[in-house]
Structure formats: structure tokens, C-alpha cells
Amino acid sequence: MKDSPGLHLKTYIFLLFIVLFAPLGNVLLGKGMKSIGSARDWEPQELLNILVRIFTSGYIWLGIACLLAFFVAYMLVLTWADYSYVQPASAFSYLVVAVLGLWLLGEKVNLLRWTGIAVICLGVFIVGHTHPRTTEKT
Amino acid sequence: MLEFIFLFLIVAAGTGGELCVSHAMKTLGEVHDFSPSALLEFVWRAARVGWMWIGIAFMTLAFFSLLAMLSMENVSFVVPVTALSYAAGAIGATLFLREKIGTQRWLGVLVVCIGVTLVWLSRR
């Protein structure tokens, strides 16, 4: 199996885009949905109102823009790297989510959560030392 | 109960969607040219793959389930619990994409899942 030049470097650059845009998108969506609120009765009229508020929320659109950027980076990296390699490697998103939650939303991150994040990073490190592609090119 | 339904939809539809998109991407081949015109041409080719649209439909369902869950719970809770898709993704990649996952990568996935579980437990 032959690699294209700089396969690992190219993969790491795209993983960086993935771990930045996905958490930022989720934090923005979370902020938007918290201001909109959840459905109480789940009636069609209520759901329609929520849907209208979702699509007129600036935070939601910013979140969608970030997730689209993430999605494009994700699609591109999947053209050469395995899904089972990319998905665990994107676990660094949890570190970024915790940091953004701390900075932007004022969420409290306790010791157990930081420990969990450290364990996730260890898992990512282990995954990162396997070859990005295990199947033959098509 | 609603949280569990939305969590199931996020994990099942999200993972299923990503597997479909991944399958579509593999049929398109590796990207070498990153110029805007080449990327546009790539997106056009991707839009003509059926698996791509099935994947997008699944991911849309997962997205609205995520919005519903985010309206009920904090981001720091929702994002970690959706990591159940790591296990689902590894199994799905083996079964449907025929990716050969070695022991080391399985170990990495397992460690990631343990970490995610600790994050989830930190909520209490």
C-alpha cells in the first residue's frame, strides 16, 4: 500500500479543523437552543413556532456555519483516511468543548470531567499511532 | 424518556449517516487538488452519489435531535453522551465499510469511551 506525499501531515491539519469547528458549532447551538427553550406539549403549532425561532436565531446560524466547515473538512479527510481512524481522533473536540464551555458559557468543569478529558486524549494518542488507512485505494 | 429517544436518534442516525457519507467519499477517491475549482468539482461529483444523500438525510435527523436535546440539557452533558457513537462507529466501519481495525486502534477506541464515560459521570 503506497501513501501520497505528506499523508500524515495532511491528515493532522484536517483533524485540527475538525476539532476546532465542531465544538464551536455545538457551543453556539447550545447557546441558541437555551435561549429558545424546549417544547412542553409537543403539539404541531408549538413545534412550528420553535422551528421558526430556530431558523431566525443568529447563534443557530453561526453554529450551523461552524458545523458546515467541520463537515467539509470531515468529508475531505474521509477520502483518504479510515472512518474508524477519523472518528476517535476527533475526540479532542471534548477538550475544546470544555474550554469553550468554561470561557464562553461560564460552565463549571470539575476534576472528574478534566480526568475524563485526559483519558479521551490518551485514547486519541493511541489511535493516532495507527496507520490512517487500512483498506486499499479505490 | 425523551432524552433517551433523542440520544438514540443522535447516535444511530448520526453514525448511520456518517457511514453512508464515508462510503460515498471512498467511491470518489482521495483528494489531491485543493484549488476552489477542483473542490467545487469534487462537491458536484459528491452530490451525484446516492449514498451521500441517504447519509445527509440521516445526519439531518440526528441534527434536529441534537437541537432538541440541547434545549433540555447543557452542552457539557449532551456532547459527551453522544460519544456512544464511537463504539457504534467502530463496529459499523468493520461491518459495513470493511475497514480492518487492529488491536491498537480498538484499544484507543475503548480508552476514548472510558474517558467519555468519566465525563458523563462528572455531571452528577
Side-chain angles (χ1 to χ4, degrees):
Chain A
M1 189 181 313
K2 194 184 175 196
D3 289 343
S4 59
L7 180 69
H8 282 279
L9 179 67
K10 189 168 69 171
T11 305
Y12 290 141
I13 289 170
F14 275 84
L15 288 179
L16 183 68
F17 287 141
I18 288 169
V19 300
L20 283 179
F21 285 120
L24 186 62
N26 281 324
V27 166
L28 289 166
L29 289 182
K31 193 166 175 62
M33 288 310 294
K34 276 289 178 293
S35 64
I36 290 166
S38 60
R40 289 174 188 169
D41 304 321
W42 297 92
E43 289 173 355
Q45 185 59 45
E46 187 191 19
L47 292 178
L48 192 67
N49 286 339
I50 289 177
L51 207 62
V52 169
R53 288 168 69 189
I54 285 172
F55 286 110
T56 53
S57 165
Y59 283 117
I60 296 293
W61 282 111
L62 273 174
I64 289 172
C66 286
L67 290 176
L68 275 176
F70 153 77
F71 186 65
V72 169
Y74 201 83
M75 278 200 306
L76 290 173
V77 83
L78 282 175
T79 63
W80 66 81
D82 281 352
Y83 172 77
S84 52
Y85 173 85
V86 176
Q87 197 202 33
S90 63
F92 269 125
S93 299
Y94 293 104
L95 177 67
V96 184
V97 158
V99 172
L100 291 181
L102 200 68
W103 283 353
L104 301 178
L105 304 179
E107 289 182 5
K108 289 178 181 174
V109 183
N110 60 27
L111 184 63
L112 185 58
R113 189 162 298 177
W114 284 121
T115 307
I117 289 165
V119 174
I120 289 169
C121 291
L122 176 67
V124 172
F125 181 79
I126 294 168
V127 171
H129 278 69
T130 58
H131 197 280
R133 185 165 59 213
T134 60
T135 50
E136 293 296 330
K137 282 175 76 175
T138 52
Chain B
M1 184 61 187
L2 270 174
E3 282 93 338
F4 286 110
I5 293 170
F6 286 128
L7 176 61
F8 174 78
L9 287 175
I10 292 167
V11 172
T15 306
E18 286 181 7
L19 286 169
C20 291
V21 168
S22 183
H23 182 70
M25 289 295 104
K26 286 290 188 293
T27 64
L28 292 172
E30 185 175 342
V31 174
H32 296 284
D33 186 357
F34 291 92
S35 66
S37 61
L39 288 178
L40 207 63
E41 193 266 339
F42 176 79
V43 171
W44 174 245
R45 279 198 298 135
R48 288 157 66 190
V49 179
W51 281 105
M52 188 72 180
W53 290 106
I54 296 169
I56 288 171
F58 272 126
M59 289 168 91
T60 303
L61 177 63
F63 177 72
F64 280 102
S65 302
L66 176 73
L67 287 187
M69 206 162 168
L70 281 172
S71 72
M72 300 173 190
E73 301 280 353
N74 286 330
V75 180
S76 54
F77 169 75
V78 175
V79 175
V81 293
T82 58
L84 279 175
S85 58
Y86 283 96
I91 294 165
T94 310
L95 293 176
F96 301 114
L97 301 180
R98 301 191 178 185
E99 292 179 4
K100 295 159 192 158
I101 303 176
T103 311
Q104 190 181 342
R105 203 182 288 183
W106 275 119
L107 181 69
V109 171
L110 180 69
V111 172
V112 167
C113 286
I114 291 169
V116 165
T117 306
L118 288 175
V119 172
W120 186 76
L121 289 173
S122 72
R123 178 173 169 258
R124 299 181 177 182

